């Protein structure tokens, strides 16, 4: 029975990843405003992800690589990690990001369905920690007019919905992201709950931030890409409708809180990592009743409020650590934890 369930999970993951690749085609096409450079960054990140996956399977799982039944999980992680990087980031940074995403987001937990944190977000966090100089807003790695294949007017709000010349690769075209989202929803690979709950909360927060003189640096494309392709990750987001709505709303509230606490570009990735910690608890609270009906009781609302309070406490803790330069030390601790987990896996095998 366990093997049958595992096989069903792998088949579902395989089909989901194929649909993810298809949904990303419009974004790949949009990235050609910089000829092949964005694609090279994506491919490099994917190579990093695949190489460490093969090493892990050979050394830790003792698997024959030729007999590997690939679900393309590492490939999907590598591609998505590449898409949240700047187009002109050095190749070794992209390689590092993809490798770290797979090793410390997936392999340390053994299987894709056991992971706790979103691997793509961890890959970005490792880049922020070790290569932060490449991610400063003024850096040319985000894009520059001299490398464009077509002229783009970034001052036009209408034009920015179709294409923009600066930002992470996955955010260059809002239209491309929307097309991909429609495809994934049509194929039932994601539902509307998390993205819509997040977007509504964020847009309210943007208005609140503007009224308080807070300039938000995150672009519309970044909000959309993270909401559609990252926050909806199957194993690090809730399973049930009410849980997904709670997850999306709290992601939005956490991100907004970070803005008011002085955290800008890292606000979304910190929020996702914090909410990932509560995913399994959210699944328990907001699971359907014995008849399969999804309803919310008073007890579940109270439990949800308890989680919301804990989440906000962690937001304040992360903001304090960020503003005082302590987040890298948190990453170093997780790095040691990951190495220890991998060492124990090797000994068990």
């Amino acid at each position: 029975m366990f093997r049958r369930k595992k096989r069903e999970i792998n088949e579902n993951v395989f089909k989901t990843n194929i649909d993810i690749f298809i949904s990303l085609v419009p974004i790949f096409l949009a990235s050609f405003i910089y000829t092949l450079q964005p694609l090279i960054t994506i491919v490099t990140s994917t190579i990093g992800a695949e190489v460490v996956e093969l090493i892990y399977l050979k050394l830790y799982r003792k698997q024959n690589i030729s007999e590997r039944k690939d679900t393309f999980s590492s490939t999907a992680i590598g591609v998505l990690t590449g898409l949240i990087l700047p187009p002109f980031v050095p190749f070794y940074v992209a390689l590092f990001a993809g490798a770290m995403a797979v090793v410390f987001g997936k392999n340390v937990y053994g299987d894709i369905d056991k992971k706790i944190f979103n691997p793509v977000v961890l890959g970005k966090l490792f880049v922020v920690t070790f290569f932060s100089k490449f991610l400063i807003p003024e850096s040319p790695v985000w894009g520059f007019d001299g490398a464009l294949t077509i002229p783009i007017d970034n001052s036009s709000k209408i034009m920015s919905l179709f294409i923009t010349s600066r930002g992470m690769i996955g955010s260059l075209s809002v239209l491309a992201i929307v097309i991909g989202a429609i495809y994934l929803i049509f194929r039932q690979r994601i539902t509307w709950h998390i993205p819509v709950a997040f977007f509504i909360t964020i847009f309210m927060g943007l208005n609140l931030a503007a009224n308080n003189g807070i300039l938000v640096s995150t672009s519309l494309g970044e909000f959309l890409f993270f909401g559609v392709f990252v926050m909806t990750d199957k194993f690090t987001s809730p399973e049930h409708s009410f849980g997904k709505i709670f997850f999306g709303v709290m992601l939005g509230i956490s991100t907004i809180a970070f803005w008011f606490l002085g955290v800008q570009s890292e606000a979304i990735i910190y929020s996702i990592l914090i909410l990932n910690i509560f995913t399994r608890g959210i699944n328990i609270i907001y699971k359907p009743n014995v008849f399969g009906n999804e309803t919310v009781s008073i007890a579940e609302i109270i439990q949800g409020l308890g989680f919301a309070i804990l989440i906000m406490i962690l937001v304040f803790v992360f903001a304090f650590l960020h503003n005082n330069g302590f987040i890298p030390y948190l990453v170093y601790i997780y790095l040691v934890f990951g190495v220890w987990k991998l060492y124990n896996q090797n000994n068990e095998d």
Side-chain angles (χ1 to χ4, degrees), residues 10 14 17 50 53-54 57 67-75:
N10 288 339
F14 172 80
N17 286 333
E50 283 295 318
E53 174 71 1
L54 293 175
L57 291 175
E67 298 176 358
R68 172 192 180 195
K69 294 182 180 179
D70 197 358
T71 62
F72 293 119
S73 293
S74 298
T75 308

Side-chain angles (χ1 to χ4, degrees), residues 50-262:
E50 283 295 318
V51 168
V52 297
E53 174 71 1
L54 293 175
I55 293 173
Y56 171 76
L57 291 175
K58 187 69 176 177
L59 297 183
Y60 287 87
R61 290 304 183 89
K62 314 298 182 185
Q63 287 188 13
N64 189 331
I65 304 301
S66 61
E67 298 176 358
R68 172 192 180 195
K69 294 182 180 179
D70 197 358
T71 62
F72 293 119
S73 293
S74 298
T75 308
I77 291 171
V79 170
L80 290 172
T81 302
L83 284 165
I84 64 173
L85 295 176
F88 294 94
V89 73
F91 77 92
Y92 57 86
V93 176
L95 197 74
F96 173 80
M100 294 299 99
V102 169
V103 172
F104 293 100
K106 173 180 176 289
N107 291 344
V108 295
Y109 300 105
D111 291 304
I112 191 70
D113 57 323
K114 294 179 181 178
K115 62 187 180 182
I116 296 174
F117 298 107
N118 189 301
V120 176
V121 177
L122 282 178
K124 179 65 175 289
L125 183 61
F126 272 93
V127 173
V128 170
T129 301
F130 293 98
F131 298 102
S132 59
K133 67 179 181 179
F134 294 113
L135 301 181
I136 58 175
E138 300 79 16
S139 174
V141 300
W142 296 103
F144 53 97
D145 293 343
L148 289 170
T149 58
I150 58 172
I152 295 176
D153 181 11
N154 286 323
S155 64
S156 171
K157 292 184 178 181
I158 299 298
M159 173 62 77
S160 66
L161 295 177
F162 293 94
I163 197 75
T164 185
S165 63
R166 284 185 66 83
M168 64 185 202
I169 300 170
S171 70
L172 294 176
S173 173
V174 169
L175 179 62
I177 298 171
V178 171
I179 292 172
I182 292 172
Y183 175 81
L184 289 176
I185 291 174
F186 174 76
R187 292 286 295 164
Q188 298 183 341
R189 299 308 180 189
I190 66 172
T191 66
W192 60 267
H193 303 84
I194 293 175
V196 171
F198 174 69
F199 298 149
I200 291 175
T201 309
I202 279 295
F203 291 141
M204 293 172 63
L206 286 170
N207 184 60
L208 186 63
N211 291 337
N212 285 271
I214 297 174
L215 182 63
V216 177
S217 60
T218 307
S219 69
L220 175 61
E222 288 182 64
F223 287 131
L224 291 175
F225 186 85
F226 274 100
V228 172
F229 292 101
V230 181
M231 295 177 184
T232 56
D233 176 68
K234 181 176 178 60
F235 298 110
T236 58
S237 64
E239 300 175 18
H240 314 298
S241 299
F242 284 113
K244 290 179 179 180
I245 293 173
F246 176 84
F247 189 82
V249 169
M250 289 309 303
L251 280 168
I253 292 175
S254 299
T255 302
I256 296 164
F258 274 122
W259 297 341
F260 279 83
L261 293 170

Side-chain angles (χ1 to χ4, degrees), residues 10-31:
N10 288 339
E11 289 176 358
N12 183 263
V13 170
F14 172 80
K15 293 176 182 178
T16 298
N17 286 333
I18 294 298
D19 279 329
I20 288 174
F21 297 144
I22 294 172
S23 70
L24 291 172
V25 169
I27 297 177
F28 295 150
L29 295 176
S31 73

